[in-house]
Amino acid sequence: MATRYDPQAAESRWRAAWDAADLFRAKSPAEAGDAPKAYVLEMFPYPSGRLHMGHVRNYAMGDVVARHKRANGYNVLHPMGWDAFGMPAENAAMQRGVHPGKWTYENIAAMRAQLKKLGLSLDWSREFATCDPEYYGAQQALFLKMMEKGLVYRKASKVNWDPVDNTVLANEQVVDGRGWRSGAIVEQRELTQWFFRITDYADDLLEQVRKLDRWPEKVRTMQANWIGRSEGLQMRFEFSGDAPEGFESGVEIFTTRPDTLFGASFIALSPDHPLTLQLAAGNNALTHFRAECAAVGTSEEAIEKAPKLGFDTGLTVQHPFDPERTLPVWVANFVLMGYGTGAIFGCPAHDQRDIEFARKYGLDVTPVVLPPDAAAASFSVEDDAYTGIGTLFNSGFLDGLAIDDAKRQAVAKIESLGLGEGKVNYRLRDWGVSRQRYWGCPIPVIHCAACGIVPVPASELPLRLPDDVAFDKPGNPLDRHPTWKHTTCPSCAGKAVRETDTLDTFVDSSWYWARFASPDDMAERAYWLPVDQYVGGVEHAVLHLLYARFFARAMRDVGELDLPSGEPFAGLFTQGMVTHETYKAANGDWLEPSEVANKDGAWFEIATGAPAHVGPIEKMSKSKKNTVDPDAIIQAFGADTARWFVLSDSPPERDVEWTQSGAEGAARFVQRIWSIFDGLPETAAPAPGTDAASIALRKASHKAVAAIDKTINEFRFNSAVAGIHEWVSVLKKAEGDTGATLGARFEGASMLARCLVPFMPHLAESCWERLGGDGFVSAAAWPTPDPALLEDDSVTMAVQVNGKRRGEITVSKALAKDAVEAAAHAEPDVAAFLEGKDIKKTIVVPGRIVNIVVA
RNA sequence: GCCUCUGUGGCGGAACUGGUAGACGCGACGGAUUCAAAAUCCGUUUCUGGUGACAGAGUGCCGGUUCGAGUCCGGCCAGAGGUACCA
C-alpha cells in the first residue's frame, strides 16, 4: 500500500535527531585528525525580523556545499550569526518607540527560529550578534591596535546634512536632494571624522585580487576598477597674472592624459578646493555657486549625473609649453576634491565631461589626437569627445607620436621644466568609518583638552552603549545623553568627553569570519582560515569584500591573524536575487501575491473582485509587496520543497523568479521521490544483476551520481536538480520491470538517498531509514560511481551538410576517422543531399560531429 | 554619468574548451485510472508552410571571423547590480 510522505512530521523529527546527535558541530583540529578542513560561510543576515526568500536561497546554496563537503570526508565549519547593528533598528525606535537593542534581539530570535526550520547543517555553537558587547568589545580592541599601528586617523569630511532635522543623513535617506523625513534641501557639511588607511594597502589589494582564481572574474574586475590605479602626471600651472596669496607656485593638478596638454583649454577646481574656499571668502557669487553645488548631496552618482556647472574665477594660468597661451581658471561641480589634487586641466576634445563643460561655457576645443583613419585638416570634435587611439597633432614637439609615447615625452618635459612629475594615483579613498548614530560600535577614544585623543584603557573594554536613550528627536542620542560622554581622562585624570561617533556597520562585517573561526585563539584561526567557500549576494562585490580584505591585512599586521596572504576568502560565489511578479490594484496601490488571483488569464483583487494589473518582475521587496514568506511555504510544503525550488530552474548566479506553481511542482517531486523508496520491497537488497536491463539502469545511476557531483563542484545546482529529475524518471520507469532489475533499483535508491542530502536533507533521511541504512544519511559518505559503468562504447554523431544538420549516425567510439566519414556519406538522409554535388571536404570531429562541405 | 553583468520557446532555463539549439521544470493540450473527483501515471508542445514524409526560419538588434557561432570579435538597444552613510 503506497504511503504519502508527511514533510512536517518528518522534518521536525529529523531536526530534533540531528540536534541530539550534535551532528554539525565543527571538530577541533585534534578531533579532525587527517580529515581536511572546509570552512563554508554565507554572508550573515541583517536581522530585519523576517526571513525572506533571498536568505533561503543564500543559505540553501551554502548548505549544499557544506553537506557535500561533509559527505566527502571534510571537517566542516559552517557557522551562523547576525549583522546586528544598523539604521533600521534606530528607525524602528523612532517610529514605534521600541529600544533598538530589544527590537534587534527579538528579530534575531524570530529569524533564528525560521532559519532552524530550514534544516541547515549549521554549527550554532559559534553564533553571535555583532551588537553583543563581547563582539564589539573585541572590535574596539582591534580599533585601538590599528590606531597604534597608524592605520587610523581623523580628517575633515563631508556629510549630507538635513538643516531642519539637524541630523546627518545616509545617502539612501536623501531623495531627489531632499531629506526623506523633513523634505528640506540637503546641504553638505564638513565634520571631523575617523578614517582607516585602506589606501596604504591599495597596491597589495590590487595585486592580490588578480590571484584569487576561485573568485568570479567580474568581481575581480569590479574590485580592480574600484581601486583604480592610474599612472599620470601631477604638475602645477603657474598663474599668468598676480597669484592669489598662498598659491604663488601655481595650482596643482593631476591628469592621466598628459599627452593632451596642447589641447588644454581651461583649469577646473573642485568647489571644495582650498583656492576656491579662499576666493569665495570675499565673493558672494562664488559662495552662492558653492552652495548650489553642495545641494546635490554627497553621492558620486548624483554629482556625476548633475548638469555641468561652472564659475569663472577670472584668474588665468600659463600654458607650460606655450608662453603665448593662457588658460582660464574655473570652478566646476564635476571635479571631486577626493580624487587627485582636486583640480584638473580640461581638454574638451578628448574627455566627455570636458566637452560638455566647454560647449556650455563656450571654451576652446582643440583636437590633439588624430584617429588612425582621419585627416588632420578636416578632423574636428563637436559634442562627442574622441577617446580612442591615434596620433598626436596640433601638439608641437609631440606631433606624430602615439598616445603612450606622447604621455612619456610630456611627463619628461614637465619634469625637466621643474613643474611636476609622473605619479601613480588611486581612485580608492580612505575608508570613513564615523557615524553620528547610536546603534553601532562606540569608537573607544576620549577627547581631553590637555592630552588630546586618548584611547579607552583595555581594562575598560567593552565600552558599552548606554541603554537609557531617547529617540524622540533626530540626531545622535549618544551625543545628547546626559551623562554617558562625560568622563575623566585616563592619562591626566582631568575632565574629558568620550567620542560619540560609532563605527560604520561595514566594520562589523569585515572580520566576523575570523571571529567564527575562533574568538581569540590564533592557532584555531590559522587552522580554519581562509574561508574555503564564501557565498553571498553580488551587491557586496565591491565594498564589503574590499573592506574584509583590508581587515584581514590589518589584523595580520597588528598580530591578530596568522594569515600571510591577507586574503580571507579563497573561494567566492555571488548569487542572484529572488524576484517575483508585482501586482497593482486599479488605483495604483501595490498588492501582495496573496491578495490577487487569476481566472481565465485575467487577474483580479480577491477582496473586491476588481481587476488587477500584473507589473514587471522585480527583486522581492516590502515596498512593492511582492515578497513571499518562507514560513508560509514551509508550513504548506515543508522546508525541503522550499530549498529544492530556490535551487532549481535558475543558475545560482542569476536571479530566480518565485512562482507558486513552481513551488507546487517541487512539492510533487518530493512525493515522487518518496514513491520510489516506498515502492521497494521491505527486504534486504539483492546484488545487482548482470542482464542488459540491470546494466542499463546501473549505468543511469552511476552516470547521474558523477554528473551531480560535477555540477555541485561547479556551483551549477540547477543542473544538478535537472540531473536528479532525469535519474528519478529512469528509476520510476524501472518499477514496472518484472524483478530482474531489483538489485539495480536498490543500488540506485541507495545512491539517490545520499545524493539528495545536500538538497533535501530531511527527505533523504526518511528515504535512508526506509532502506535500512546505517545511522544518519547526513553523516554518510558520498557514493562512488564505478568508472566501468560510466563509459559507453558507441556514440551518436550528427551529420551536417554545409553546416546544416541532415542526419545522424551511431558508430563505435573506436571507429577510425575515414570509416566514420564513409558511414556519414552513406547515411540515406545525408546521401540525398549529396547527390549530384561535388564534395569539397569532410570534417570529422571524433565523437561529436561530421560536416560535409559541398560546392 | 561611470564600473560590472545579463538578454535563448507561452514562462524559468539547458547546451562541457566553437560542434545535433530548446535538456529539466512550469504552464497548456490530449489520454489512462476513477461511479465521480482529488491524487497519480503516460504522451504532445520553438515558429511558419504542408494531411503527411518534409521544407524553411530561429538564441535582443546590425555587421564580421569560421567548414560550423547561443558560444569568438566590432557597433548598437534594453534590463539589472554597484557608485564609498541601505545592508
Side-chain angles (χ1 to χ4, degrees):
Chain A
M1 187 57 200
T3 60
R4 273 189 81 73
Y5 175 72
D6 177 356
Q8 278 70 27
E11 290 185 356
S12 51
R13 177 161 72 93
W14 289 119
R15 281 198 299 274
W18 293 334
D19 278 351
D22 204 10
L23 211 55
F24 306 124
R25 192 180 56 81
K27 294 189 184 81
S28 70
E31 287 172 304
D34 291 340
K37 69 94 183 175
Y39 183 177
V40 180
L41 181 68
E42 298 98 56
M43 292 178 184
F44 64 165
Y46 178 79
S48 57
R50 302 291 296 174
L51 207 62
H52 57 72
M53 277 298 164
H55 292 126
V56 175
R57 194 171 188 222
N58 192 178
Y59 302 130
M61 286 180 190
D63 205 43
V64 169
V65 176
R67 286 178 175 271
H68 183 246
K69 285 281 182 201
R70 207 174 279 113
N72 280 287
Y74 286 82
N75 178 28
V76 173
L77 171 57
H78 189 208
M80 182 55 70
W82 309 96
D83 188 13
F85 277 135
M87 288 203 306
E90 288 195 44
N91 293 337
M94 275 185 264
Q95 282 158 16
R96 283 180 270 152
V98 56
H99 189 275
K102 181 171 157 34
W103 183 84
T104 302
Y105 280 107
E106 282 174 3
N107 284 349
I108 288 174
M111 286 179 75
R112 185 195 298 113
Q114 288 188 302
L115 217 44
K116 287 204 169 181
K117 284 191 203 159
L118 287 172
L120 302 166
S121 65
L122 291 165
D123 181 350
W124 283 100
S125 71
R126 297 177 187 241
E127 178 192 6
F128 60 78
T130 56
C131 63
D132 294 343
E134 298 75 36
Y135 185 81
Y136 72 72
Q139 185 162 299
Q140 290 166 336
L142 200 50
F143 180 93
L144 293 177
K145 281 193 175 186
M146 287 167 69
M147 200 160 100
E148 228 171 273
K149 190 81 181 174
L151 290 170
V152 179
Y153 68 101
R154 297 176 86 207
K155 70 172 178 187
S157 171
K158 291 203 294 191
V159 294
N160 297 308
W161 182 259
D162 186 319
V164 170
D165 278 353
N166 283 312
T167 188
V168 177
L169 296 176
N171 282 335
E172 79 159 1
Q173 296 173 324
V174 180
V175 181
D176 296 330
R178 292 172 182 271
W180 65 338
R181 285 185 208 284
S182 70
I185 302 260
V186 168
E187 300 170 359
Q188 294 178 348
R189 190 174 267 209
E190 287 221 319
L191 296 178
T192 302
Q193 310 218 68
W194 291 91
F195 283 81
F196 285 147
R197 285 191 201 277
I198 190 171
T199 54
D200 277 10
Y201 294 93
D203 251 331
D204 189 50
L205 288 166
L206 182 62
E207 195 57 34
Q208 299 299 320
V209 84
R210 296 183 218 281
K211 298 178 189 165
L212 294 171
D213 57 354
R214 291 206 296 118
W215 279 40
E217 191 60 45
K218 65 171 172 180
V219 175
R220 295 197 278 164
T221 308
M222 280 190 267
Q223 294 236 333
N225 289 340
W226 185 265
I227 294 165
R229 182 181 196 276
S230 56
E231 292 178 8
L233 167 69
Q234 184 165 325
M235 65 168 291
R236 60 194 165 87
F237 281 80
E238 293 174 340
F239 287 96
S240 51
D242 287 340
E245 199 186 331
F247 293 89
E248 289 77 7
S249 63
V251 56
E252 287 275 340
I253 62 98
F254 176 80
T255 179
T256 58
R257 292 297 302 271
D259 54 310
T260 64
L261 264 168
F262 280 98
S265 68
F266 62 94
I267 295 290
L269 306 175
S270 162
D272 304 307
H273 192 276
L275 177 53
T276 311
L277 299 184
Q278 183 173 321
L279 297 171
N283 185 330
N284 283 338
L286 183 51
T287 302
H288 179 78
F289 177 79
R290 287 192 67 241
E292 211 177 329
C293 296
V296 184
T298 60
S299 87
E300 185 195 59
E301 184 192 3
I303 292 168
E304 289 270 353
K305 276 183 165 169
K308 307 278 174 286
L309 286 179
F311 182 95
D312 188 352
T313 63
L315 295 168
T316 54
V317 294
Q318 185 63 50
H319 191 282
F321 298 147
D322 184 353
E324 304 296 307
R325 282 172 69 188
T326 62
L327 308 175
V329 177
W330 287 66
V331 178
N333 65 343
F334 62 90
V335 181
L336 303 173
M337 195 56 221
Y339 182 78
T341 61
I344 60 156
F345 79 79
C347 175
H350 305 292
D351 183 283
Q352 192 55 38
R353 291 186 303 188
D354 295 349
I355 189 77
E356 286 171 31
F357 191 76
R359 290 298 177 212
K360 180 164 183 176
Y361 292 105
L363 299 162
D364 288 343
V365 178
T366 309
V368 291
V369 177
L370 189 64
D373 51 359
S378 60
F379 180 66
S380 71
V381 168
E382 298 308 323
D383 291 332
D384 293 306
Y386 178 73
T387 55
I389 58 163
T391 311
L392 274 286
F393 73 127
N394 294 337
S395 290
F397 69 97
L398 298 175
D399 278 352
L401 295 176
I403 290 173
D404 283 347
D405 290 335
K407 281 182 179 174
R408 276 189 287 275
Q409 298 279 334
V411 170
K413 183 80 169 182
I414 292 292
E415 285 177 347
S416 74
L417 291 169
L419 290 173
E421 55 190 5
K423 201 186 168 199
V424 172
N425 197 29
Y426 295 91
R427 208 187 77 95
L428 180 69
R429 308 197 296 259
D430 275 336
W431 176 11
V433 293
S434 279
R435 297 292 181 270
Q436 293 71 42
R437 294 186 223 293
Y438 167 75
W439 196 232
C441 170
I443 293 176
V445 301
I446 291 163
H447 299 273
C448 170
C451 311
I453 288 167
V454 184
V456 171
S459 61
E460 291 176 22
L461 298 183
L463 169 60
R464 289 170 179 263
L465 288 165
D467 281 330
D468 52 333
V469 281
F471 292 90
D472 48 350
K473 53 187 173 204
N476 183 358
L478 276 188
D479 198 41
R480 60 166 187 262
H481 188 278
T483 57
W484 185 80
K485 73 174 174 184
H486 301 291
T487 185
T488 52
C489 172
S491 177
C492 69
K495 276 196 174 176
V497 290
R498 296 190 184 283
E499 172 64 62
T500 58
D501 284 355
T502 50
L503 289 172
D504 179 7
T505 57
F506 267 126
V507 176
D508 311 332
S509 55
S510 289
W511 69 285
Y512 75 109
W513 42 272
R515 183 84 179 177
F516 275 142
S518 170
D520 47 20
D521 186 316
M522 295 279 285
E524 207 186 341
R525 280 184 181 174
Y527 170 76
W528 286 113
L529 293 170
V531 173
D532 296 281
Q533 186 63 60
Y534 195 35
V535 187
V538 69
E539 66 271 23
H540 294 295
V542 176
L543 291 180
H544 161 64
L545 289 167
L546 192 66
Y547 292 151
R549 297 179 63 223
F550 162 67
F551 250 75
R553 286 161 171 77
M555 288 175 80
R556 175 195 65 194
D557 294 348
V558 301
E560 281 280 314
L561 210 56
D562 180 10
L563 185 69
S565 72
E567 292 298 341
F569 313 122
L572 172 70
F573 188 86
T574 52
Q575 109 244 357
M577 301 173 300
V578 179
T579 62
H580 195 282
E581 264 181 343
T582 50
Y583 309 98
K584 270 189 178 180
N587 66 4
D589 287 351
W590 298 100
L591 295 170
E592 287 180 23
S594 58
E595 293 177 318
V596 295
N598 186 311
K599 198 181 174 200
D600 303 326
W603 290 90
F604 64 93
E605 197 175 342
I606 295 169
T608 62
H613 308 286
V614 178
I617 293 163
E618 299 200 44
K619 176 178 173 173
M620 281 191 180
S621 72
K622 277 193 184 141
S623 61
K624 291 182 181 139
K625 292 198 176 175
N626 63 339
T627 55
V628 171
D629 184 2
D631 253 5
I633 299 300
I634 293 169
Q635 188 96 39
F637 303 115
D640 284 341
T641 292
R643 293 172 59 130
W644 185 256
F645 180 81
V646 294
L647 294 173
S648 59
D649 285 3
S650 281
E653 69 277 14
R654 292 246 289 269
D655 295 349
V656 65
E657 188 203 344
W658 179 271
T659 61
Q660 181 68 16
S661 54
E664 285 163 7
R668 270 201 299 276
F669 190 61
V670 167
Q671 296 299 337
R672 192 169 156 83
I673 290 175
W674 174 249
S675 75
I676 287 175
F677 291 83
D678 196 39
L680 288 168
E682 293 189 60
T683 56
T690 54
D691 54 294
S694 291
I695 297 289
L697 186 53
R698 294 192 70 201
K699 276 192 167 187
S701 293
H702 286 249
K703 280 182 182 176
V705 171
I708 291 162
D709 202 40
K710 184 169 187 279
T711 48
I712 289 177
N713 285 328
E714 291 170 354
F715 251 85
R716 293 168 43 231
F717 306 132
N718 56 322
S719 294
V721 164
I724 290 173
H725 268 286
E726 279 179 275
W727 186 14
V728 164
S729 283
V730 172
L731 288 172
K732 197 73 191 156
K733 286 206 173 82
E735 285 183 341
D737 295 350
T738 50
T741 60
L742 188 61
R745 282 171 60 201
F746 262 106
E747 182 193 53
S750 166
M751 289 177 131
L752 177 61
R754 283 172 284 168
C755 285
L756 287 174
V757 167
F759 304 94
M760 301 199 274
H762 311 89
L763 175 65
E765 291 290 359
S766 290
C767 293
W768 189 247
E769 183 183 47
R770 176 68 178 70
L771 286 177
D774 277 343
F776 293 107
V777 71
S778 294
W782 191 255
T784 313
D786 179 352
L789 290 167
L790 298 178
E791 289 300 320
D792 289 314
D793 38 13
S794 71
V795 62
T796 300
M797 294 170 68
V799 181
Q800 300 180 330
V801 178
N802 283 353
K804 277 193 188 300
R805 183 184 174 279
R806 296 301 181 184
E808 60 180 37
I809 51 172
T810 300
V811 297
S812 157
K813 266 190 177 168
L815 199 65
K817 258 191 176 185
D818 48 352
V820 172
E821 189 174 327
H825 287 192
E827 210 282 324
D829 288 340
V830 176
F833 278 90
L834 299 178
E835 219 176 285
K837 303 263 173 63
D838 220 15
I839 297 177
K840 292 178 75 176
K841 65 173 164 176
T842 301
I843 292 139
V844 178
V845 183
R848 293 198 192 242
I849 204 163
V850 181
N851 190 11
I852 304 163
V853 186
V854 299

